[in-house]
């Protein structure tokens, strides 16, 4: 009976050690992703002449703080019109008169949030990529987080 108990205790200790190592690897990978702005843009436009642009970034900051910083930043810009705002879901939709942009801030943990911004733009107009990525970088700066465009 004593040998079985020791064997079970050894297996349990090995399992705890293994899960700790796996969790540490995820934390390491997650830390490398913080502040990396990832974007996806259309390679052309569809038959209706629409294109899309999406940017996302993980921020080591409180989601409510990121959202309120973004709202205050947008409200302070005379070239931006806020079309829709849902504070409870941390969602906002705005335009510069040419491009419609949607933004959502998600709470992942107490001090970890995800900022997602997407837009559409008619074909033949200037690319919305610069507007979307520009807004992400500006919101990062306003919240005190360093963000850079991810290299694929």
């Amino acid at each position: 009976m004593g040998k079985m108990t020791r064997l079970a205790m050894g297996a349990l200790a090995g399992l705890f050690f293994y899960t700790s190592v796996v969790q540490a690897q995820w934390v390491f990978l997650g830390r490398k992703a913080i502040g990396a702005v990832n974007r996806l843009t259309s390679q052309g436009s569809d038959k209706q002449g629409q294109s899309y642009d999406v940017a996302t970034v993980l921020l080591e900051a409180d989601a409510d703080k990121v959202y309120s910083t973004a709202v205050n930043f947008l409200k302070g810009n005379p070239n931006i019109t806020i079309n829709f705002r849902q504070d409870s879901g941390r969602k906002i939709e705005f335009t510069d008169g040419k491009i419609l942009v949607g933004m959502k801030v998600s709470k992942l943990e107490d001090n970890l949030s995800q900022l997602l911004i997407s837009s559409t733009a008619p074909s033949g107009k200037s690319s919305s990529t610069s507007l979307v990525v520009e807004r992400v970088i500006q919101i990062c700066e306003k919240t005190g987080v360093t963000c850079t465009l991810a290299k694929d």
Side-chain angles (χ1 to χ4, degrees), residues 9-23:
M9 293 295 274
L12 189 58
L15 181 63
F16 281 130
F17 176 73
Y18 175 74
T19 57
S20 297
V21 169
V22 170
Q23 184 178 10

Side-chain angles (χ1 to χ4, degrees), residues 40-146:
L40 174 65
T41 59
S42 59
Q43 299 303 308
S45 60
D46 66 8
K47 292 178 183 178
Q48 289 81 30
Q50 293 290 313
S51 61
Y52 62 85
D53 183 30
V54 179
T56 184
V57 64
L58 293 177
L59 301 172
E60 196 166 17
D62 178 67
D64 292 326
K65 179 184 174 195
V66 173
Y67 178 73
S68 65
T69 300
V71 169
N72 290 334
F73 172 72
L74 294 170
K75 284 169 51 177
N77 187 333
N79 300 323
I80 299 290
T81 302
I82 296 174
N83 298 336
F84 169 79
R85 184 172 153 190
Q86 182 188 38
D87 294 338
S88 62
R90 292 185 291 278
K91 300 175 192 175
I92 192 165
E93 184 179 285
F94 58 95
T95 183
D96 68 350
K98 297 177 254 173
I99 300 168
L100 180 64
V101 181
M103 183 186 79
K104 180 172 178 24
V105 180
S106 300
K107 180 177 182 172
L108 302 178
E109 290 182 2
D110 286 342
N111 204 33
L112 184 65
S113 56
Q114 178 185 35
L115 175 62
L116 171 68
I117 298 181
S118 71
S119 72
T120 60
S123 149
K125 302 253 180 169
S126 63
S127 171
S128 61
T129 302
S130 60
L131 177 71
V132 171
V133 172
E134 203 176 280
R135 294 297 177 256
V136 169
I137 298 295
Q138 288 171 336
I139 292 167
C140 288
E141 289 172 358
K142 297 275 185 200
T143 55
V145 177
T146 303

